[in-house]
Amino acid sequence: MTGGILAGLRIVEGSAFIAAPLGGMTLEQMGADVIRFDDIKGGLDNDRWPVTRDGRSIYWAGLNKGKRSIAVDLRKSQGRELLTALITAPGEGAGIFATNMPARGWLSYEALSAKRADLIALNIVGARDGSAHVDYTVNAITGFPMVSGPVGHDGPVNAVAPPWDIATAYAGAMAILAAERHRTRTGEGQRIVLPLQDMALAATSALGYIGEAVINDIDRPRLGNEIFGTFGRDFRTSDGRHVMICIFSDRHVDALAAAGSFKQAFAAIEQKHGIDLKSDAGRWHARNALCAIIEPWVAAHTADEVAGALRKAGALWAPYKTFRELAHDKEAVVGNPMFTVLDQPGIGRYPVAATPLQFGAFERASPRPAPVLGQHTDEILSAILGLPAHEIARLHDQKVVGGPK
Amino acid sequence: MTGGILAGLRIVEGSAFIAAPLGGMTLEQMGADVIRFDDIKGGLDNDRWPVTRDGRSIYWAGLNKGKRSIAVDLRKSQGRELLTALITAPGEGAGIFATNMPARGWLSYEALSAKRADLIALNIVGARDGSAHVDYTVNAITGFPMVSGPVGHDGPVNAVAPPWDIATAYAGAMAILAAERHRTRTGEGQRIVLPLQDMALAATSALGYIGEAVINDIDRPRLGNEIFGTFGRDFRTSDGRHVMICIFSDRHVDALAAAGSFKQAFAAIEQKHGIDLKSDAGRWHARNALCAIIEPWVAAHTADEVAGALRKAGALWAPYKTFRELAHDKEAVVGNPMFTVLDQPGIGRYPVAATPLQFGAFERASPRPAPVLGQHTDEILSAILGLPAHEIARLHDQKVVGGPK
């Protein structure tokens, strides 16, 4: 609906939770017209937490910004027929369907592509065998929970930010563009299957964890907040704040040395341990010695003092924040042009992010509120499916479709 | 190089670490020709851990599979001219550059687009002001570390799997396809800027954390392994294994009740607490009561018994695994058609993942080994830049380019 880089594309989305809605919103924030359909009573995530004090879902609002919403009774055959017509409607940029609902019966690729042969359908599934999975169950088998969390902790530590849902959202959006490219060139549509579990396993493989386990025949131990194979850890300031300090390159060694006047101390470490702090392996082997120097320095200064010194020296570091601190942070949110304070109907005013991508040929569009359930039912039935007003009224009367009163 | 959905595209990549190399590899695994250039001595991540016992980087191998490698002395003007010619080489699917190196001087969009006006250049940066960041520093400000890890833990808990690097990789690959679509339609190239920090902040916003903090004016507490706003947690079996058990829908309530014969106990919870376990809020409010039923059942059975019952009932669950267990797991890796046992030169044989995407119109290509540094220097100089053999020999002699002996 905006004039972004994907203007002219239309994606119909049958979704819930994170991966599929975030993938659709990603395309919307680049200018595609994204229509989410839901059951007339709302989908599985309609009331999902976090919610406002009177029960409105902040979660749903966050993942459906800028989409158009149509609400249909999914148990009625007439409702299913309307959605089939919407998914397979003609038009060059239309005929794209993304879902994490079971792709069976009327929502199967076979049924839908019978109505539009060049349909592109993205099916996000749990595991490749079709079994149900969510980020939390997928993450359990990756191995990461057994090495996350404090050293000495017994048992798994789950991820709070769902890494595999987020990756699946972007990979799915990318796959739609790849398939649309192929369709533009050949006229051919296709089904794309993306299992959440395979997404997680492919990333775990790419990051070297499976290779390390097989080749070195070891299980990496739990390392707390230390970054494996180089230097990085959290430190506590005199006023009880926490900072993350890392070294990833020569420049970061010098900057950290300058920030804390560690030049001689670092040289002494190199001599004593016979290592080079300008190599990953050197830093990793000398990490305890490095901490013994950095820890008292951070502990003797306030967060402001530490921040000032690290920033001035160009070190690789960051302060830890809580969500509430982040929400009011001048640099990251309040003064960040990616954010706009939106009035989300039924919820209120708060800063909301646009796409993180800045395309040189387009102005970044401001984020738009999420729709109310069924907000665009009538305009979609009229403009896309060509239904006359009396027919739309009949569908409402028969409770085949719904929308806000 | 393979016959995938992106055959005919060529991306030149100047990269290190995770986001940029993983983005390039993602496109390669869909059939694009991806050429990674590195300094003749290897890039910042050439020896990055994990490494084999004799110091070969398993990390580098994991993130550069199937690419072609050209090694050039980046400090020599002749080396920079060769790479400029490579990045801006003619051809319909060529003229695409992805980098997380500083886009200054010869690598700036201005300098490169002067040689090819329709260049597409993706610049992955740390923060929007150009300052350096890695996943660990970006994650610190998102708020997630302060709510991750065991209840009662004091201080931040970092993510081990880098969520923002992974998201940036896929978002960057997606952005390249969007820009290439625009170029095909209009002839216009462009620069795309993607800040790692904005990627993390946009996802944190989408997931509702900033909205919750502002609207409800609270900081969500640390919840350990519990899933906020529904039901999910880890449990320990009689033989000391861990399983994740979740409820996200009505079906999962019934399945869990069937697996553990909890039907009456669940009904008693609903009556006593006056809640409905088939609602998110009901499960969340009754989570301690649910745990009091599930915990002793899991603790009284072995992992095999628990797995058998949960699987049979169709519950939403997963066993936790270590990386080594995962690497040898029959279902997830050994018998998963996404994986191929590759012989990675210098490292050895281990299972390696292809793309998790299954495109209906293409066979999924098997993963290919990562190149040795400079493995394709000569073929690239010859086939793409059209240099004769004697000129290539001279470049080697003058140490402008490098390659394996």
Short mmCIF file of all heavy atoms in Angstrom, two decimals, chain A residues 194-222:
data_model
loop_
_atom_site.label_atom_id
_atom_site.label_comp_id
_atom_site.label_asym_id
_atom_site.label_seq_id
_atom_site.Cartn_x
_atom_site.Cartn_y
_atom_site.Cartn_z
N LEU A 194 9.14 -24.57 4.12
CA LEU A 194 10.20 -24.11 5.02
C LEU A 194 9.92 -24.64 6.42
O LEU A 194 9.08 -24.10 7.14
CB LEU A 194 10.28 -22.58 5.01
CG LEU A 194 11.27 -21.92 5.99
CD1 LEU A 194 12.66 -22.51 5.87
CD2 LEU A 194 11.32 -20.41 5.75
N PRO A 195 10.63 -25.70 6.82
CA PRO A 195 10.43 -26.22 8.18
C PRO A 195 11.23 -25.40 9.20
O PRO A 195 12.44 -25.20 9.03
CB PRO A 195 10.97 -27.66 8.11
CG PRO A 195 11.16 -27.95 6.64
CD PRO A 195 11.44 -26.62 6.00
N LEU A 196 10.54 -24.96 10.24
CA LEU A 196 11.18 -24.20 11.31
C LEU A 196 12.37 -24.97 11.89
O LEU A 196 13.42 -24.39 12.17
CB LEU A 196 10.14 -23.94 12.41
CG LEU A 196 10.51 -23.08 13.59
CD1 LEU A 196 10.78 -21.65 13.18
CD2 LEU A 196 9.38 -23.09 14.65
N GLN A 197 12.19 -26.27 12.04
CA GLN A 197 13.28 -27.07 12.61
C GLN A 197 14.50 -27.10 11.68
O GLN A 197 15.63 -26.97 12.15
CB GLN A 197 12.80 -28.51 12.88
CG GLN A 197 13.77 -29.31 13.72
CD GLN A 197 13.34 -30.75 13.88
OE1 GLN A 197 13.37 -31.56 12.96
NE2 GLN A 197 12.89 -31.08 15.08
N ASP A 198 14.27 -27.25 10.38
CA ASP A 198 15.40 -27.25 9.45
C ASP A 198 16.09 -25.89 9.42
O ASP A 198 17.31 -25.80 9.24
CB ASP A 198 14.95 -27.66 8.04
CG ASP A 198 14.84 -29.17 7.88
OD1 ASP A 198 15.18 -29.91 8.83
OD2 ASP A 198 14.39 -29.62 6.81
N MET A 199 15.31 -24.82 9.56
CA MET A 199 15.90 -23.48 9.64
C MET A 199 16.91 -23.43 10.79
O MET A 199 18.04 -22.95 10.62
CB MET A 199 14.76 -22.48 9.89
CG MET A 199 15.18 -21.04 9.99
SD MET A 199 15.51 -20.33 8.37
CE MET A 199 17.23 -19.93 8.59
N ALA A 200 16.51 -23.91 11.95
CA ALA A 200 17.38 -23.89 13.12
C ALA A 200 18.60 -24.79 12.92
O ALA A 200 19.73 -24.42 13.26
CB ALA A 200 16.60 -24.33 14.36
N LEU A 201 18.37 -25.95 12.32
CA LEU A 201 19.48 -26.90 12.14
C LEU A 201 20.46 -26.38 11.09
O LEU A 201 21.68 -26.56 11.23
CB LEU A 201 18.94 -28.27 11.74
CG LEU A 201 18.06 -28.96 12.79
CD1 LEU A 201 17.47 -30.25 12.22
CD2 LEU A 201 18.85 -29.26 14.06
N ALA A 202 19.96 -25.73 10.04
CA ALA A 202 20.85 -25.19 9.01
C ALA A 202 21.74 -24.10 9.60
O ALA A 202 22.94 -24.02 9.30
CB ALA A 202 20.04 -24.64 7.84
N ALA A 203 21.17 -23.26 10.46
CA ALA A 203 21.96 -22.20 11.08
C ALA A 203 22.98 -22.79 12.06
O ALA A 203 24.13 -22.35 12.13
CB ALA A 203 21.04 -21.20 11.78
N THR A 204 22.56 -23.79 12.81
CA THR A 204 23.47 -24.44 13.76
C THR A 204 24.64 -25.07 13.01
O THR A 204 25.79 -25.01 13.46
CB THR A 204 22.70 -25.49 14.59
OG1 THR A 204 21.57 -24.86 15.19
CG2 THR A 204 23.57 -26.09 15.67
N SER A 205 24.34 -25.64 11.86
CA SER A 205 25.39 -26.20 10.99
C SER A 205 26.30 -25.10 10.46
O SER A 205 27.52 -25.19 10.53
CB SER A 205 24.73 -26.96 9.83
OG SER A 205 25.64 -27.23 8.79
N ALA A 206 25.71 -24.02 9.94
CA ALA A 206 26.50 -22.93 9.36
C ALA A 206 27.44 -22.32 10.39
O ALA A 206 28.56 -21.94 10.07
CB ALA A 206 25.56 -21.85 8.79
N LEU A 207 27.00 -22.26 11.63
CA LEU A 207 27.82 -21.64 12.68
C LEU A 207 28.91 -22.55 13.20
O LEU A 207 29.67 -22.16 14.10
CB LEU A 207 26.91 -21.15 13.82
CG LEU A 207 25.96 -20.01 13.44
CD1 LEU A 207 24.91 -19.80 14.53
CD2 LEU A 207 26.74 -18.71 13.20
N GLY A 208 29.00 -23.77 12.67
CA GLY A 208 30.13 -24.64 12.99
C GLY A 208 29.94 -25.56 14.17
O GLY A 208 30.84 -26.33 14.51
N TYR A 209 28.75 -25.54 14.80
CA TYR A 209 28.57 -26.33 16.02
C TYR A 209 28.54 -27.83 15.74
O TYR A 209 29.03 -28.63 16.53
CB TYR A 209 27.30 -25.90 16.75
CG TYR A 209 27.47 -24.55 17.41
CD1 TYR A 209 27.09 -23.38 16.76
CD2 TYR A 209 28.05 -24.44 18.66
CE1 TYR A 209 27.27 -22.14 17.35
CE2 TYR A 209 28.23 -23.20 19.26
CZ TYR A 209 27.84 -22.06 18.59
OH TYR A 209 28.03 -20.84 19.18
N ILE A 210 27.92 -28.21 14.61
CA ILE A 210 27.86 -29.64 14.28
C ILE A 210 29.24 -30.12 13.84
O ILE A 210 29.71 -31.18 14.24
CB ILE A 210 26.76 -29.90 13.23
CG1 ILE A 210 25.39 -29.62 13.87
CG2 ILE A 210 26.84 -31.31 12.68
CD1 ILE A 210 24.21 -29.68 12.91
N GLY A 211 29.92 -29.31 13.05
CA GLY A 211 31.28 -29.65 12.62
C GLY A 211 32.22 -29.81 13.80
O GLY A 211 32.98 -30.77 13.88
N GLU A 212 32.16 -28.87 14.73
CA GLU A 212 33.04 -28.95 15.90
C GLU A 212 32.78 -30.22 16.70
O GLU A 212 33.72 -30.90 17.14
CB GLU A 212 32.82 -27.72 16.79
CG GLU A 212 33.71 -27.70 18.03
CD GLU A 212 33.35 -26.57 19.01
OE1 GLU A 212 32.18 -26.14 19.03
OE2 GLU A 212 34.25 -26.15 19.74
N ALA A 213 31.49 -30.55 16.88
CA ALA A 213 31.13 -31.72 17.69
C ALA A 213 31.66 -33.01 17.05
O ALA A 213 32.13 -33.90 17.74
CB ALA A 213 29.62 -31.80 17.86
N VAL A 214 31.61 -33.07 15.70
CA VAL A 214 32.03 -34.29 15.02
C VAL A 214 33.55 -34.33 14.88
O VAL A 214 34.19 -35.33 15.21
CB VAL A 214 31.36 -34.40 13.63
CG1 VAL A 214 31.93 -35.56 12.82
CG2 VAL A 214 29.85 -34.54 13.79
N ILE A 215 34.14 -33.26 14.37
CA ILE A 215 35.57 -33.26 14.07
C ILE A 215 36.41 -33.31 15.35
O ILE A 215 37.37 -34.06 15.44
CB ILE A 215 35.95 -32.01 13.24
CG1 ILE A 215 35.25 -32.05 11.88
CG2 ILE A 215 37.46 -31.88 13.08
CD1 ILE A 215 35.70 -33.17 10.96
N ASN A 216 36.06 -32.51 16.33
CA ASN A 216 36.84 -32.49 17.58
C ASN A 216 36.28 -33.44 18.62
O ASN A 216 36.90 -33.63 19.67
CB ASN A 216 36.90 -31.07 18.15
CG ASN A 216 37.71 -30.13 17.25
OD1 ASN A 216 38.40 -30.59 16.34
ND2 ASN A 216 37.62 -28.84 17.49
N ASP A 217 35.13 -34.05 18.31
CA ASP A 217 34.48 -35.02 19.19
C ASP A 217 34.38 -34.52 20.63
O ASP A 217 34.75 -35.21 21.59
CB ASP A 217 35.23 -36.37 19.15
CG ASP A 217 34.36 -37.49 19.73
OD1 ASP A 217 33.13 -37.33 19.77
OD2 ASP A 217 34.93 -38.51 20.16
N ILE A 218 33.91 -33.29 20.75
CA ILE A 218 33.73 -32.72 22.08
C ILE A 218 32.35 -32.07 22.17
O ILE A 218 31.72 -31.77 21.16
CB ILE A 218 34.75 -31.59 22.38
CG1 ILE A 218 34.77 -30.58 21.21
CG2 ILE A 218 36.14 -32.14 22.63
CD1 ILE A 218 34.89 -29.16 21.66
N ASP A 219 31.89 -31.87 23.39
CA ASP A 219 30.75 -31.00 23.62
C ASP A 219 31.29 -29.74 24.27
O ASP A 219 31.88 -29.78 25.35
CB ASP A 219 29.71 -31.68 24.54
CG ASP A 219 28.52 -32.17 23.75
OD1 ASP A 219 28.13 -31.51 22.78
OD2 ASP A 219 27.97 -33.22 24.11
N ARG A 220 31.10 -28.63 23.60
CA ARG A 220 31.59 -27.37 24.13
C ARG A 220 30.98 -27.12 25.52
O ARG A 220 29.78 -27.32 25.69
CB ARG A 220 31.21 -26.23 23.18
CG ARG A 220 32.00 -24.96 23.47
CD ARG A 220 31.50 -23.82 22.62
NE ARG A 220 31.83 -23.99 21.21
CZ ARG A 220 31.56 -23.05 20.30
NH1 ARG A 220 31.00 -21.92 20.65
NH2 ARG A 220 31.87 -23.25 19.03
N PRO A 221 31.76 -26.71 26.50
CA PRO A 221 31.18 -26.48 27.82
C PRO A 221 30.37 -25.18 27.86
O PRO A 221 30.43 -24.37 26.95
CB PRO A 221 32.41 -26.36 28.73
CG PRO A 221 33.49 -25.87 27.83
CD PRO A 221 33.21 -26.45 26.47
N ARG A 222 29.64 -25.03 28.93
CA ARG A 222 28.90 -23.79 29.19
C ARG A 222 29.90 -22.71 29.57
O ARG A 222 30.73 -22.91 30.46
CB ARG A 222 27.94 -24.09 30.34
CG ARG A 222 26.99 -23.02 30.68
CD ARG A 222 25.88 -23.60 31.58
NE ARG A 222 24.62 -23.67 30.88
CZ ARG A 222 23.71 -24.64 31.03
NH1 ARG A 222 23.93 -25.63 31.83
NH2 ARG A 222 22.59 -24.60 30.35
#
